[in-house]
Amino acid sequence: MASKVIKAPHVKFNNGLEFPIFGLGTWKSKPGEVTQAVKDAIDIGYRHIDCARAYGNEQEVGAAIKAKIAENVVKREDLYITSKLWNTFHRTDLVEPACRKTLNDLGLECLDLYLIHWPMGYKEDGELFPEKDGKTLYSDVDYVDTWKEMERLVKLGLTKSIGVSNFNTEQLDRVLAIATIKPVTNQIECHPYLNQKKMMEYCKSKGIVVTAYSPLGSPDRPWAKPDDPQLLDDPKLKKVGDKYKKTPAQVVLRYQVQRGNITIPKSVTKSRIEQNAQIFDFELSAEDMAFLDSFDCNGRVCHLNWIKDHKYFPFNIEV
């Protein structure tokens, strides 16, 4: 039996609800592998699972949740399940049905957190990745209108909390200007090569928690090139790890939780899922935290440059 990880601490959202600071990411986890990965994670002590419709594996994640509840390993209320509204469902009449589809696939009655996955809408009523002649087809729906529907999901009891993902500060300002329910989090790419210090400061000033995705630098992203720098191979990082007798992955994960960011590394390998969670038994010094901050090179890997002509593309401004 795997040794249980230390229980992850919780962060408090602006709506008063608490959420585990550490969880399992499921982007790029193949349907055949993800059920076992989620089962292993729950056995090891993970209580927060980060999902999305666009990942194409929510039914398999749901099977793992169902199995672990049936085995009395956990109760539903022990788990914190996040999902995301995909870009083809921004139109106001599609938001609720999209959420209900996710709930059905996951086998749940209510999500703990539901996010707008990206600020850009894609053409509705077809594929999740609508294309013509190799070009993504866009929708002109304003994410502000989508947000109002997200608020309705809370009132309907379909999700406890709502937030956004990949929004820049100007886009968050527009949402906050009309919100009757504030976003609790902005889920963004965040790791030492893209430390997001300015976004973190902005979110803190608005009472929004940052969730760090791709905290390991997403080495398995589909568009990676062989000569791309690999965060976990950085010799400077290995040196920090040696000092604490920890792996480079454990160092960068500890870095995020120590900054107060919810952190969701993805893995389907049991030993790695376990290893990733062994970050609550050490603390990085202030000097080492500052040293890791100094790695920043605006090294965004989930840049989606192929759709940067979308009017709501978030990365055309600095923060």
Side-chain angles (χ1 to χ4, degrees):
M1 185 71 189
S3 55
K4 292 280 182 228
V5 298
I6 299 159
K7 200 163 172 261
H10 286 58
V11 297
K12 198 168 210 171
F13 285 154
N14 59 40
N15 60 8
L17 296 176
E18 295 198 338
F19 216 81
I21 199 164
F22 190 75
L24 180 75
T26 61
W27 178 43
K28 306 178 302 295
S29 298
K30 297 179 185 74
E33 300 170 332
V34 77
T35 302
Q36 192 57 48
V38 174
K39 284 180 180 177
D40 290 340
I42 291 172
D43 284 341
I44 287 161
Y46 286 67
R47 295 296 175 258
H48 166 195
I49 312 293
D50 180 84
C51 316
R53 171 81 170 266
Y55 302 166
N57 58 12
E58 288 192 325
Q59 285 184 344
E60 290 79 11
V61 171
I65 293 168
K66 185 180 178 183
K68 288 296 149 189
I69 291 173
E71 288 170 27
N72 292 322
V73 176
V74 283
K75 299 185 181 77
R76 168 62 184 101
E77 56 268 29
D78 299 329
L79 297 174
Y80 296 78
I81 311 298
T82 302
S83 187
K84 308 179 195 79
L85 178 80
W86 184 240
N87 308 0
T88 49
F89 306 108
H90 282 202
R91 205 174 67 208
T92 53
D93 61 311
L94 299 176
V95 175
E96 184 190 330
C99 182
R100 288 188 183 278
K101 162 85 170 129
T102 273
L103 285 168
N104 190 48
D105 285 349
L106 289 167
L108 304 176
E109 288 175 15
C110 177
L111 290 166
D112 298 279
L113 178 59
Y114 197 46
L115 311 177
I116 300 181
H117 204 148
W118 289 88
M120 311 85 61
Y122 290 173
K123 185 180 180 298
E124 304 84 2
D125 307 318
E127 301 291 315
L128 290 183
F129 296 88
E131 276 190 4
K132 190 177 179 186
D133 303 327
K135 176 92 181 77
T136 304
L137 300 174
Y138 301 155
S139 160
D140 58 1
V141 176
D142 190 332
Y143 54 82
V144 163
D145 296 326
T146 312
W147 184 257
K148 291 173 188 162
E149 284 300 306
M150 295 286 283
E151 294 183 337
R152 206 169 67 81
L153 300 178
V154 178
K155 293 172 185 133
L156 288 169
L158 300 179
T159 184
K160 292 179 183 174
S161 301
I162 48 175
V164 296
S165 183
N166 301 297
F167 275 50
N168 65 34
T169 54
E170 289 174 7
Q171 292 167 335
L172 275 163
D173 279 339
R174 286 192 67 222
V175 169
L176 290 167
I178 59 93
T180 58
I181 301 175
K182 277 173 68 169
V184 296
T185 192
N186 185 18
Q187 185 177 127
I188 53 175
E189 179 185 341
C190 191
H191 44 75
Y193 287 170
L194 184 74
N195 72 27
Q196 296 280 17
K197 221 167 187 173
K198 288 180 180 168
M199 176 59 86
M200 283 175 60
E201 283 162 12
Y202 167 89
C203 285
K204 194 173 183 185
S205 76
K206 304 292 183 187
I208 295 169
V209 174
V210 165
T211 300
Y213 77 71
S214 297
L216 305 173
S218 194
D220 60 347
R221 63 193 179 278
W223 53 88
K225 296 186 183 71
D227 55 346
D228 285 346
Q230 295 287 352
L231 172 66
L232 296 181
D233 295 339
D234 194 314
K236 302 195 298 289
L237 193 55
K238 190 175 174 342
K239 215 169 150 189
V240 177
D242 289 346
K243 179 175 164 183
Y244 294 93
K245 297 188 171 55
K246 291 287 180 179
T247 65
Q250 288 167 330
V251 169
V252 295
L253 296 174
R254 177 69 208 177
Y255 165 74
Q256 291 299 352
V257 300
Q258 220 166 297
R259 301 166 97 205
N261 293 341
I262 295 175
T263 308
I264 46 170
K266 168 259 170 183
S267 180
V268 293
T269 309
K270 186 175 182 177
S271 59
R272 211 165 283 157
I273 292 169
E274 190 166 2
Q275 206 176 55
N276 285 347
Q278 290 167 351
I279 56 169
F280 300 106
D281 56 353
F282 78 110
E283 194 167 324
L284 294 165
S285 68
E287 295 76 22
D288 287 326
M289 290 292 287
F291 180 55
L292 289 167
D293 275 342
S294 76
F295 288 22
D296 188 86
C297 54
N298 196 29
R300 187 185 300 282
V301 294
C302 297
H303 46 68
L304 266 65
N305 285 340
W306 50 90
I307 54 163
K308 64 179 174 201
D309 59 339
H310 194 296
K311 67 175 172 179
Y312 295 132
F313 184 73
F315 309 138
N316 286 331
I317 65 167
E318 192 197 346
V319 188

